[in-house]
Amino acid sequence: MIRSMTAFGNARADLEQGTLAIELRSVNSRFLDLYFRLPDELRHVETPLRELLTANLARGKVEIRVSFTRAASTELSKLDPAWLEGLAEQLQAARRIIPDIASPRLAELFNWPGQRGNDALDPQIWGAACLQAAQQALTQLQEGRGREGERLAGMMRECADGVARVVDIVQAHLPQLLADHRDKQAAKLRESVESAFPGGFAHISGAELSERLSQEANLFALRIDVAEELSRLRSHLEELRHLLTDGGGKSSGGKKNAGSAGKRLDFLFQEMNREANTLGSKAGSMEVTRAAMDLKLLIEQMREQAQNIE
């Protein structure tokens, strides 16, 4: 499957101690770049998250944002009297030096570090929950990448059909182009002979005229011979359709070349553009020149779409 590099995925895990949420945002990048936004309490999950994403993604700039919210606890309704007395003594000592220090609010006392029974997050419980949520978010991300990739592949298929039509038009136009050139050369030769000799064609035999026209036609045919370029363009189109269907193919060992489609498409469009340039340089008529320009436009449109392919 062709996958885009632009997608979003999120998931959450509900625990007795609270709720964990994870978001994955992916955009274009030449390589796989991972950017983590983790709270200090969950910094230990960065390595397993990196391993999970690296094993499933090939390219893209991915931002991983993790947050958590503690659940309300009945233990927070009671404050340790001994702790309150100690805090009051410290407050009085501070006021002897800084008299205008304000007293803490009740809500601040309940949320004071050390007053929670569950301040410390259990690394195993929260780490496992984070990885579970990450797997769900990754699945959602991959599904989004797949849907967007199919849309991009559809647009490239339409452009590829346009390229095939242009190639067929050029192929069909070549015999007429040669015939038109032969007629033009015959008319030009006739004018030259008549202006140079009063007797006109009495001074040149039919065989000589035919041989001269044949030589001119052969030289012109060699100059505008684009059969090889057209053949290579058709071959590139077959490879393009294969890539858009197979999503990168398989290596010689049978292993899937995950993530190679975008790079292979980029190289393929470079080759197609080279053939279009050669076709334009050999153009023997305005029709072929316009066809070469149309090819370059279609190839550029496909290349722009391929920039977003993984």
Side-chain angles (χ1 to χ4, degrees):
M1 175 185 290
I2 290 290
R3 286 192 174 93
S4 168
M5 285 186 283
T6 302
F8 172 81
N10 66 338
R12 56 181 293 172
D14 296 318
L15 305 174
E16 292 183 3
Q17 299 89 344
T19 300
L20 181 143
I22 182 170
E23 292 182 355
L24 303 178
R25 299 177 184 271
S26 175
V27 295
N28 295 2
S29 180
R30 187 176 179 182
F31 305 104
L32 179 61
D33 301 316
L34 304 178
Y35 296 88
F36 291 89
R37 302 289 185 267
L38 306 177
D40 292 337
E41 294 88 343
L42 295 174
R43 185 60 61 181
H44 62 280
V45 301
E46 178 175 337
T47 298
L49 282 177
R50 186 180 297 274
E51 293 174 352
L52 174 66
L53 297 175
T54 302
N56 289 276
L57 303 177
R59 299 173 67 197
K61 178 181 177 181
V62 185
E63 180 181 354
I64 304 96
R65 187 180 297 273
V66 179
S67 61
F68 69 92
T69 304
R70 288 186 175 90
S73 174
T74 56
E75 295 180 2
L76 298 180
S77 61
K78 297 179 181 180
L79 294 173
D80 185 2
W83 175 81
L84 286 174
E85 292 177 0
L87 182 62
E89 292 176 1
Q90 294 180 35
L91 182 60
Q92 291 299 327
R95 282 177 172 171
R96 285 194 290 267
I97 301 173
I98 308 175
D100 57 349
I101 291 181
S103 299
R105 297 179 180 179
L106 184 60
E108 294 174 341
L109 294 177
F110 281 120
N111 289 282
W112 204 280
Q115 289 307 296
R116 293 178 177 271
N118 58 349
D119 262 344
L121 302 182
D122 188 315
Q124 292 184 345
I125 295 177
W126 286 84
C130 185
L131 287 178
Q132 180 183 2
Q135 184 62 65
Q136 297 173 1
L138 177 62
T139 299
Q140 190 180 119
L141 182 80
Q142 291 288 60
E143 291 174 352
R145 280 186 161 202
R147 289 190 298 270
E148 178 65 17
E150 275 303 305
R151 286 193 287 269
L152 295 175
M155 288 185 281
M156 282 189 281
R157 289 189 184 97
E158 291 180 2
C159 290
D161 292 340
V163 170
R165 287 192 294 269
V166 173
V167 169
D168 291 340
I169 291 173
V170 173
Q171 185 74 53
H173 181 70
L174 288 180
Q176 185 61 44
L177 181 61
L178 292 173
D180 292 344
H181 177 73
R182 185 180 181 89
D183 293 341
K184 290 179 182 178
Q185 288 297 319
K188 185 183 295 185
L189 183 59
R190 184 180 297 106
E191 293 176 359
S192 300
V193 172
E194 290 178 348
S195 62
F197 301 98
F201 282 88
H203 298 276
I204 183 171
S205 66
E208 292 175 335
L209 179 61
S210 177
E211 182 179 359
R212 179 64 180 273
L213 290 176
S214 178
Q215 291 176 352
E216 290 289 341
N218 289 336
L219 289 174
F220 181 72
L222 289 175
R223 185 170 65 84
I224 68 165
D225 183 17
V226 293
E228 187 175 351
E229 286 75 15
L230 297 179
S231 176
R232 282 198 290 263
L233 280 171
R234 288 195 174 93
S235 177
H236 293 331
L237 286 175
E238 291 181 7
E239 177 65 13
L240 172 61
R241 294 189 176 99
H242 170 70
L243 285 174
L244 294 179
T245 301
D246 189 60
K250 296 183 178 181
S251 63
S252 58
K255 183 179 179 181
K256 188 74 174 178
N257 290 327
S260 65
K263 295 180 179 179
R264 293 176 66 180
L265 285 171
D266 186 64
F267 174 77
L268 182 62
F269 293 142
Q270 291 181 27
E271 293 300 308
M272 293 179 69
N273 193 62
R274 183 178 291 111
E275 303 302 335
N277 285 332
T278 305
L279 184 66
S281 66
K282 290 184 177 182
S285 68
M286 285 301 300
E287 288 80 1
V288 178
T289 300
R290 293 191 187 98
M293 294 176 63
D294 291 341
L295 285 175
K296 294 184 66 174
L297 178 61
L298 290 167
I299 294 169
E300 179 62 21
Q301 290 175 353
M302 290 189 290
R303 191 192 68 81
E304 290 178 356
Q305 300 296 339
Q307 298 304 307
N308 197 32
I309 297 297
E310 183 181 12

